Amino acid sequence: MPKARVKELEIAYSLRGSGEPLVMVAGFTQTKETWGPVVSHLTRHFQVLTFDNRGVGETTFPAGNFTIADMAQDTVELMDALGIDNAYFFGVSMGGLITQTILLDRPQRVRKAALGCTSHGGRHAVQPAPEVMAGLSSMTDPNVAPRERMLRALPILYSDDFIRQQPERVEEFQEVAARYLPHPAGASAQFQALSYFNVKKRLSEIRQPVLVITGDQDRMMPPENSRLLAAGIAGAKLQLVEGAGHSFFHEQPQQVARALIEFFSDP
């Protein structure tokens, strides 16, 4: 995969498809390879940019902590390196935090944004259950075996029905994730960055069209967070993907791609 030099980083990315640019901003520990089939549906309509956030995958990163604002800056500078002035955005989970930061601080870079399974952060956000937080924390623990980390993540990422009814797809996603497991230090740095995020008081500043979309069975980021986010952004649309969990774009890739295409294409 190609890499773009951005200050002290080398950001690994993939650019596929043709048409107007669509920047897909990944969630916690997610890499460009783990988006699943939703990408292939979107590349028929857009030039899709996926990349590894600092801390995971093939993107290098300096030692020490970093913030969501740092990752937002990385995203914008990657766009600069690739000659992308502005684009549609689809950010999920932590990627939704990054996308909100760009909407607020670099609004001219965003045409429209879809915020998936995410939150405005802060103490007014609806927190996941303690066992979910424990599962997330184990992903940063070097003493937990990689396979055990993946098994703990399954019920956090997917709905019960999807795990039970489509075990072959779950296994496929596991196999891909196993090839791109994050280093615990990178995962820990990302986890710390997202833990301090809070833009609730600034949501009214967002002027670009926004679609808030999530699975209605999301355990990691309870759906009430999407309702709060949509309520705080003027004119935002809210869409719940019925029966889907946190990785709703894995469970229902065609439905999600269709919703994104309709939203981005609507004048």
Side-chain angles (χ1 to χ4, degrees):
M1 288 291 178
K3 292 185 179 182
R5 185 75 185 180
V6 173
K7 293 183 179 176
E8 75 273 30
L9 304 180
E10 285 189 339
I11 301 179
Y13 70 91
S14 173
L15 198 58
R16 287 170 282 176
S18 60
E20 299 300 318
L22 167 58
V23 178
M24 297 178 64
V25 192
F28 174 61
T29 72
Q30 182 185 356
T31 69
K32 59 189 176 302
E33 294 85 4
T34 58
W35 279 98
V38 69
V39 174
S40 62
H41 294 296
L42 292 169
T43 54
R44 300 169 190 166
H45 299 265
F46 305 100
Q47 184 183 54
V48 177
L49 172 63
T50 57
F51 60 98
D52 296 339
N53 287 310
R54 64 165 70 191
V56 301
E58 298 175 283
T59 292
T60 60
F61 69 102
N65 297 327
F66 50 83
T67 65
I68 293 295
D70 290 328
M71 288 188 277
Q73 183 68 18
D74 296 342
T75 305
V76 169
E77 292 186 359
L78 175 60
M79 293 172 66
D80 288 341
L82 298 176
I84 301 173
D85 292 329
N86 52 60
Y88 300 116
F89 275 74
F90 179 37
V92 299
S93 198
M94 185 188 73
L97 312 184
I98 296 168
T99 302
Q100 287 176 72
T101 302
I102 298 171
L103 278 164
L104 289 164
D105 297 339
R106 300 291 187 88
Q108 72 278 11
R109 309 306 296 262
V110 185
R111 301 181 186 183
K112 294 183 177 183
L115 303 175
C117 55
T118 194
S119 163
H120 54 53
R123 63 185 180 88
H124 295 291
V126 180
Q127 300 301 315
E131 60 269 22
V132 173
M133 291 300 296
L136 286 173
S137 296
S138 73
M139 296 179 70
T140 70
D141 187 349
N143 297 314
V144 178
R147 181 69 179 178
E148 178 61 25
R149 273 187 258 159
M150 291 176 59
L151 291 174
R152 293 182 187 182
L154 280 182
I156 299 174
L157 295 174
Y158 300 108
S159 66
D160 291 339
D161 285 347
F162 185 73
I163 293 171
R164 183 174 60 253
Q165 296 171 8
Q166 304 211 42
E168 70 289 344
R169 290 182 63 197
V170 173
E171 180 64 27
E172 179 183 336
F173 291 137
Q174 279 187 289
E175 290 177 0
V176 173
R179 293 199 293 270
Y180 302 100
L181 279 174
H183 189 280
S188 180
Q190 285 195 353
F191 190 75
Q192 182 168 344
L194 64 88
S195 298
Y196 289 102
F197 181 82
N198 182 1
V199 295
K200 181 180 185 298
K201 293 182 178 179
R202 296 190 63 196
L203 292 180
S204 61
E205 299 174 28
I206 295 175
R207 294 290 180 264
Q208 279 78 355
V210 169
L211 170 67
V212 180
I213 183 169
T214 194
D216 68 357
Q217 302 297 309
D218 192 341
R219 294 188 182 93
M220 184 184 296
M221 188 60 64
E224 183 59 28
N225 288 294
S226 289
R227 296 186 180 95
L228 292 171
L229 196 56
I233 300 173
K237 300 178 180 178
L238 175 64
Q239 182 166 340
L240 299 181
V241 181
E242 187 175 350
H246 190 67
S247 293
F248 67 96
F249 51 94
H250 281 170
E251 297 189 34
Q252 298 291 342
Q254 289 180 299
Q255 179 182 343
V256 172
R258 184 164 58 249
L260 295 176
I261 293 164
E262 290 175 359
F263 172 65
F264 292 140
S265 302
D266 189 24

